[in-house]
């Protein structure tokens, strides 16, 4: 594959499969104010010391190089990005980097209502809020103690301050919250938001525990059929991600399906990830990582690391093989999702 170059002659982040990378997901911390069952174990989770986090200066230095190589869109994630102190300041700094056109946030929504306005002013354009149950008792069970009313307040605040689009991330799990598919579909009818159903991924889990809870997303379409609803595919793309979107008849919003296990979308992968401790991850599922910390201050060395990460990117993540107990061609990551950022 011939290297693609920008008008100014800079080599762009195109990998050997021809995929152009213009999107960087940045995890600001592995710490979180919740403990979601699919993301972290109940006990034994070790969080990194604050001095292991990339500083704002270091994140900015990495993003400057990424922007030079064609990255245009950023998403801040975690852990919970809003537990990182002074996140509003960081957003202002990242938004001022030439080339950066869009800054998004993925959050559990617990602290979002209070910060929504400041985040919007600082330059966040869009938010994804994670919400796997609308029922307090179950929400507290999934998140190990969260208060669903805070997330719902954040949803309202996000609409009010004008984030666009506002998306909900709903991880569906077998025998856990699949009986709420109807309620989330109803939300997509009544509100101008995008409800994204996400397949539970085998990241950082013992495979057996995961397999029992994994639910393929054709269950959402089957539910629509059972309700006599015909979802129309929506041609428009609402962001940088892999979701396929549908609209129910007369709905104000849409619903999306993100099915990395039952039907991967790696052919369109456009993203790299930066962990809070400074590792570039070419693939969500694989172990390969490239530490940027020592290269910061040396632009050429940082550029080289981006291209090394790109070279290590697999054609697809092979998560489906975990379902069938098949051998993987690469080592899967040992990180939990909270240590990657989703
Ligand atoms: N704390 C923030 C939040 O929950 O939105 C951002 C980080 S969280 C790791 C990012 C996304 O990953 C969330 O939408 C969460 O639901 C999702 N996630 C975590 N573990 C997952 C898993 N095993 N499978 C699928 N999605 C997962
Ligand atoms: Fe925290 Fe997000 Fe993981 Fe839940 S999914 S434990 S909110 S990082």
């Amino acid at each position: 594959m011939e290297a693609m170059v920008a008008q100014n002659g800079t080599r762009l982040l195109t990998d050997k499969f021809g995929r152009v990378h213009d999107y960087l997901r940045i995890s600001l911390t592995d710490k979180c104010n919740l403990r979601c069952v699919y993301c972290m174990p109940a006990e034994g989770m070790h969080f990194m010391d604050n001095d292991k986090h990339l500083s704002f200066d270091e994140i900015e230095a990495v993003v400057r190089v990424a922007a030079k190589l064609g990255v245009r869109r950023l998403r801040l994630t975690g852990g919970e990005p809003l537990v990182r102190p002074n996140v509003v300041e960081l957003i202002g700094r990242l938004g001022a980097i030439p080339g950066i056109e869009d800054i998004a946030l993925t959050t559990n929504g617990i602290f979002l209502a209070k910060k929504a306005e400041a985040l919007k002013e600082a330059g966040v354009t869009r938010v994804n809020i994670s919400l796997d149950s609308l029922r307090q008792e179950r929400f507290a069970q999934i998140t190990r103690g969260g208060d669903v009313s805070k997330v719902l307040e954040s949803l309202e605040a996000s609409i009010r301050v004008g984030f666009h689009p506002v998306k909900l991330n709903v991880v569906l799990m077998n025998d856990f919250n699949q009986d709420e598919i109807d309620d989330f579909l109803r939300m997509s009818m009544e509100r101008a938001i995008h409800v994204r159903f996400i397949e539970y991924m085998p990241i950082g889990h013992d495979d057996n525990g995961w397999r029992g809870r994994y639910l393929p997303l054709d269950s959402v379409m089957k539910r629509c059929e059972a309700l006599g609803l015909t979802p129309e595919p929506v041609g428009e793309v609402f962001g940088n991600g892999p979701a396929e979107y549908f609209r129910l008849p007369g709905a104000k919003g849409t619903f999306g399906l993100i099915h990395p296990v039952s039907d991967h979308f790696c052919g369109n992968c456009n993203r790299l990830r930066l962990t809070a401790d400074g590792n570039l991850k070419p693939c969500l599922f694989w172990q390969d990582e490239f530490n940027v910390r020592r290269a910061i201050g040396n632009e050429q060395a940082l550029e080289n690391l981006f291209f090394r990460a790109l070279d290590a990117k697999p054609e697809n993540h092979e998560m489906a093989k975990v379902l069938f107990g098949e051998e993987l061609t690469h080592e899967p990551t040992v990180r939990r999702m909270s240590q990657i950022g989703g």
Side-chain angles (χ1 to χ4, degrees), residues 25 32 36 38-39 77-81 106-109 128-130 132 169 171 198-203 205 210 337-338 340-342:
R25 296 177 66 101
C32 189
C36 303
Y38 49 69
C39 182
T77 176
E80 172 49 38
T106 299
T107 170
N108 61 32
N128 290 9
I129 301 172
S130 300
D132 309 306
N169 284 355
V171 177
I198 302 176
E199 282 179 351
Y200 181 20
M201 292 181 249
I203 293 198
H205 289 267
W210 166 74
M337 198 68 109
S338 57
I340 303 173

Side-chain angles (χ1 to χ4, degrees), residues 111 137 171 211 255 268:
F111 293 153
E137 200 178 320
V171 177
R211 211 175 277 126
F255 74 89
N268 295 324

